[in-house]
Amino acid sequence: MVYLRRSASFLFSVTIALTASWLAADVFLADGFDPVDVVRVLLLATTSGWIAWGASLAIQGVAGPAPGNPDRENKAPLKSEKIAILVPVYNEDPVAVLSRVMAMARSIDSLGEAARFEFVILSDTRNEEIATREVHRFLQMKQEGPGDVQFFYRRRDLNTGKKAGNIADFLRSSGGRYDFLIILDADSLMEGETMIEMTRRMEAEPKLGLLQTLPKIIHARSWFGRAIQFSSSFHSPYFASGLAAMQGSTGPFWGHNAIVRTQAFAECCGLPALEGKPPFGGHVLSHDYVEAAMLARRGWTVRVDPDLEGSYEEGPDNIIDFAKRDRRWCQGNLQHARLLSAPGLKAWSRFIFAQGIMAYLASPFWLLFLLASIVAPLMAPPPNYFPVPHMPAIFPTPETAQAVTLLVGIFGLLIGPKLLIALRAALSRETASFGGTAAVMISSAFEIVWSSILAPITLMFQSRSVLQVLRGADGGWPASNRDADAIGMREAWAASWWIMCTGLVLLFGSAQFEPNLFYWFLPITMPLIGAPAIINWSSTRESGKLAAESGVFLTPSELSPSPVIRDYEANRLRWQAAHAADTSDTATEPVAGAANAGPVAV
Amino acid sequence: MNSGHNGSAAISQLERQLAPPAAPMTMPEQIIERKRGVAGLLALFALPFLAAR
């Protein structure tokens, strides 16, 4: 069945790529043959095939069983003695992190399984002031938290190997104590029931080495953040279901909100540093993909179960932070080029590496295609009105119908899956938890328009990231700034003036060299030209408030927060208030996304 | 909140007390890179079908 699904997706992608090439050749060669046209056709074939591959994941997800209906029949009691819940931190806000840990501990305690689970804060924090706060908050949490849950805190002197090194260090020193490790991120939040169910599934399948959940984004405050939050709750489960249907036993690891079998992980996932300097050498940055591949290499099953609810994370609230994170992921994925031929890997693991690389190469390919389309008329041969001697003149005809078919087809591949998901959700009444069918339809329409506006800007950031990595620039690994304030116009301008200039060049170039393309380019050039304003506006709390008050991008975690979310919000409010009382720092900040949040100090 | 050598030393000692119990295990470094040439990228697109289960 897995073979069949992979074949179907592959054939679908190849068919789309070939059809796009055929239509593109008709359109591009209408004014005669030139080498740039060949490049354009090849670029379009690659990118359209890539889009079709993504669409096929969603189609397979929509065609499968509904995500989010966990099988709770198997309530077998747990057998494992100890499970560690690892929370790696790196200069993050201790109040936010430990508020989440406290909520998760209480959630597990309420289910009577406190004695089995131990929380371990693995600090790689370099900032001494933050580290001191970590220890103080940790002690407070230990004091206030459920007595039966064990809490540990360990800080490394050197953060060698970053997160992967942090976890490996823990495994080598204390891993022997635990049957399983639940690996979280600093912004992860999980229901106790979910963690218990994950453990139960690991116990039930001795060959299962890693089980990944699909975390939903919570606590978005801006328009940008809320759009991602909606998409992660509404669209991602279907994409993940499609992926799960194709993965077989070689599933993904996304680095957090997952459980691993300790012995398997220790045996298989010791990562060496690659020879040479970053970006291609040094420590493996996107280590999670590699760890999944290494587990599968030794015969362990790696799986994502999209039906596991109660798994959350927080995401970037503005385009700049999103682009910074994307820069890291870009470098990590391109570094995988060195691992494509790693010995013994499953074929699908190599394919996943290639897919991750393509996810970033697609952007410069699109950009090259746009530039080639402007340049092409300059390279075109002079028109030959008399291709057949002594016969009447033949004038080149613009292949408008093929061009429109091509454009509609590509756009259809981009938005079609989202429309299918909305239709499926409406028919199966899954829309109820998102505020009803009307709210979902409105949100879907806004999401499609918004992602269309955002796509050219993302394309530019990703193209720059790829170029930087190929030129040998190391992007480093800064801490995520999930509580960042809105991006001001000055900062937005500094980050995106070059995008605006590129938009102007494309607009001017199309008008000057290929006026036929001028209007076709407007949906791309206008967002580029407006990038600073778009970045600024979409990052503001007001934009998020506007969406919330208009009923746009509503999610179940917002409309009906689960107990662990509510508890986390309450903990955070209380500790922030305590922190404000302890210090003279009077900066105020509401808890992100909390409906009942008042102004409190950070 | 905390400054000076004595404060840092106290925190370091406290951190040692908060650490998880020792239970060492081996985690050998794996071979993840082939030294000779990289497989052709195009051939990768056929790979999913060679080892599907």
Side-chain angles (χ1 to χ4, degrees):
Chain A
M1 196 59 185
V2 170
Y3 178 85
L4 198 65
R5 287 178 188 277
R6 289 179 187 176
S7 299
S9 280
F10 187 72
L11 279 176
F12 177 70
S13 305
V14 169
T15 305
I16 293 291
L18 290 176
T19 308
S21 310
W22 173 63
L23 287 168
D26 261 7
V27 176
F28 301 158
L29 301 178
D31 59 353
F33 176 87
D34 70 80
V36 177
D37 288 334
V38 177
V39 173
R40 291 163 80 196
V41 171
L42 287 175
L43 287 170
L44 195 69
T46 312
T47 45
S48 56
W50 170 246
I51 294 173
W53 178 258
S56 76
L57 289 181
I59 292 167
Q60 298 226 26
V62 170
N69 290 319
D71 170 19
R72 298 285 194 219
E73 295 304 310
N74 172 21
K75 288 276 188 183
L78 296 186
K79 290 175 283 194
S80 313
E81 286 189 17
K82 290 289 175 199
I83 302 113
I85 300 170
L86 306 183
V87 187
V89 294
Y90 175 74
N91 290 343
E92 270 94 1
D93 172 21
V95 167
V97 173
L98 297 175
S99 301
R100 284 185 277 264
V101 172
M102 175 84 140
M104 289 187 278
R106 282 183 173 151
S107 182
I108 287 173
D109 187 50
S110 71
L111 296 165
E113 295 287 2
R116 294 181 204 276
F117 290 86
E118 295 183 349
F119 286 84
V120 188
I121 314 301
L122 298 174
S123 175
D124 259 354
T125 292
R126 303 293 91 198
N127 181 309
E128 291 300 327
E129 193 269 333
I130 296 177
T132 305
R133 284 176 56 208
E134 275 175 6
V135 173
H136 281 265
R137 290 297 151 204
F138 177 81
L139 291 172
Q140 186 178 5
M141 180 188 67
K142 220 169 137 56
Q143 195 176 6
E144 292 181 19
D148 291 339
V149 180
Q150 287 274 12
F151 298 98
F152 298 110
Y153 174 93
R154 187 275 277 133
R155 182 169 166 234
R156 292 201 294 173
D157 293 331
L158 297 171
N159 62 337
T160 311
K162 303 195 170 64
K163 183 180 169 183
N166 195 0
I167 289 172
D169 202 59
F170 165 78
L171 262 171
R172 291 188 176 113
S173 61
S174 305
R177 182 176 165 84
Y178 303 101
D179 300 300
F180 303 109
L181 310 174
I182 294 177
I183 300 176
L184 303 180
D185 247 358
D187 65 350
S188 295
L189 183 66
M190 294 186 85
E191 283 288 353
E193 190 185 353
T194 307
M195 290 189 271
I196 290 169
E197 176 62 19
M198 290 161 77
T199 309
R200 198 176 280 136
R201 291 184 189 191
M202 293 295 283
E203 288 178 349
E205 289 187 51
K207 289 302 289 177
L208 188 54
L210 188 151
L211 180 61
Q212 173 71 58
T213 66
L214 177 65
K216 310 270 173 64
I217 292 176
I218 56 170
H219 286 165
R221 293 168 289 181
S222 65
W223 177 278
F224 174 82
R226 289 182 63 88
I228 294 185
Q229 178 173 274
F230 172 75
S231 193
S232 86
S233 283
F234 191 65
H235 298 133
S236 295
Y238 286 97
F239 281 92
S241 295
L243 178 67
M246 271 201 279
Q247 69 194 2
S249 60
T250 323
F253 178 34
W254 296 322
H256 55 92
N257 294 45
I259 186 169
V260 299
R261 192 174 298 276
T262 312
Q263 193 61 43
F265 199 77
E267 279 173 13
C268 305
C269 298
L271 284 173
L274 298 174
E275 274 179 33
K277 292 179 181 172
F280 287 100
H283 293 288
V284 177
L285 293 187
S286 293
H287 55 88
D288 39 13
Y289 275 39
V290 183
E291 287 156 351
M294 289 160 79
L295 281 166
R297 174 167 76 171
R298 291 277 190 88
W300 292 101
T301 296
V302 179
R303 202 175 74 202
V304 56
D305 280 0
D307 68 312
L308 284 167
E309 297 280 4
S311 176
Y312 309 101
E313 64 174 328
E314 295 188 11
D317 244 349
N318 61 70
I319 298 172
I320 304 300
D321 282 340
F322 181 85
K324 283 179 187 169
R325 187 182 72 174
D326 212 41
R327 170 67 175 80
R328 301 198 306 263
W329 289 358
C330 172
Q331 184 171 330
N333 283 18
L334 295 186
Q335 191 188 36
H336 290 165
R338 288 185 64 171
L339 312 182
L340 283 168
S341 61
L345 289 189
K346 294 277 176 69
W348 182 257
S349 298
R350 299 186 203 277
F351 180 75
I352 291 294
F353 285 162
Q355 184 183 278
I357 293 167
M358 186 58 203
Y360 286 96
L361 291 185
S363 283
F365 282 4
W366 273 118
L367 187 60
L368 279 175
F369 172 76
L370 294 176
L371 293 172
S373 296
I374 292 176
V375 173
L378 303 176
M379 313 290 281
N384 178 6
Y385 300 114
F386 302 98
V388 184
H390 314 301
M391 295 297 285
I394 297 175
F395 295 97
T397 52
E399 307 290 345
T400 310
Q402 285 92 326
V404 171
T405 306
L406 195 57
L407 191 72
V408 169
I410 289 173
F411 201 61
L413 282 173
L414 289 170
I415 69 165
K418 293 177 179 176
L419 294 176
L420 273 178
I421 290 169
L423 188 67
R424 156 85 191 256
L427 291 174
S428 59
R429 299 199 176 280
E430 290 161 44
T431 48
S433 57
F434 288 85
T437 301
V440 163
M441 292 302 165
I442 291 168
S443 295
S444 294
F446 270 105
E447 201 279 334
I448 286 169
V449 172
W450 169 244
S451 55
S452 303
I453 292 170
L454 199 58
I457 299 172
T458 310
L459 180 147
M460 293 303 297
F461 277 122
Q462 287 190 339
S463 299
R464 186 178 68 169
S465 295
V466 171
L467 274 178
Q468 285 174 340
V469 173
L470 293 180
R471 283 175 49 232
D474 178 20
W477 206 257
S480 298
N481 190 13
R482 295 170 182 108
D483 286 330
D485 286 327
I487 301 292
M489 197 60 199
R490 188 188 295 264
E491 193 182 347
W493 169 259
S496 64
W497 62 268
W498 60 278
I499 295 179
M500 195 180 89
C501 291
T502 309
L504 287 169
V505 168
L506 285 176
L507 193 71
F508 175 77
S510 60
Q512 185 72 20
F513 303 121
E514 181 60 306
N516 291 333
L517 283 181
F518 181 81
Y519 291 105
W520 295 73
F521 268 31
L522 282 181
I524 298 162
T525 52
M526 294 317 287
L528 295 181
I529 293 167
I534 292 168
I535 290 170
N536 165 246
W537 177 79
S538 65
S539 73
T540 59
R541 302 289 179 274
E542 290 73 25
S543 65
K545 201 174 162 193
L546 176 71
E549 288 174 355
S550 311
V552 176
F553 302 142
L554 299 175
T555 58
S557 62
E558 180 182 25
L559 293 170
S560 178
S562 69
V564 78
I565 296 177
R566 286 183 183 280
D567 196 26
Y568 153 51
E569 288 166 355
N571 295 338
R572 189 169 173 180
L573 274 173
R574 195 174 65 254
W575 285 354
Q576 281 176 333
H579 180 66
D582 287 349
T583 64
S584 57
D585 181 0
T586 54
T588 59
E589 170 78 9
V591 170
N596 57 347
V600 287
V602 173
Chain B
M1 189 174 283
N2 202 322
S3 60
H5 179 72
N6 290 339
S8 297
I11 287 289
S12 296
Q13 193 177 350
L14 187 59
E15 282 177 8
R16 278 191 288 277
Q17 291 168 8
L18 301 175
M25 68 190 306
T26 55
M27 190 177 188
E29 282 195 351
Q30 304 294 313
I31 296 170
I32 58 170
E33 196 179 16
R34 199 183 291 279
K35 293 299 173 192
R36 52 197 166 78
V38 173
L41 198 63
L42 288 175
L44 287 165
F45 290 95
L47 287 174
F49 309 102
L50 301 178
R53 297 190 197 184

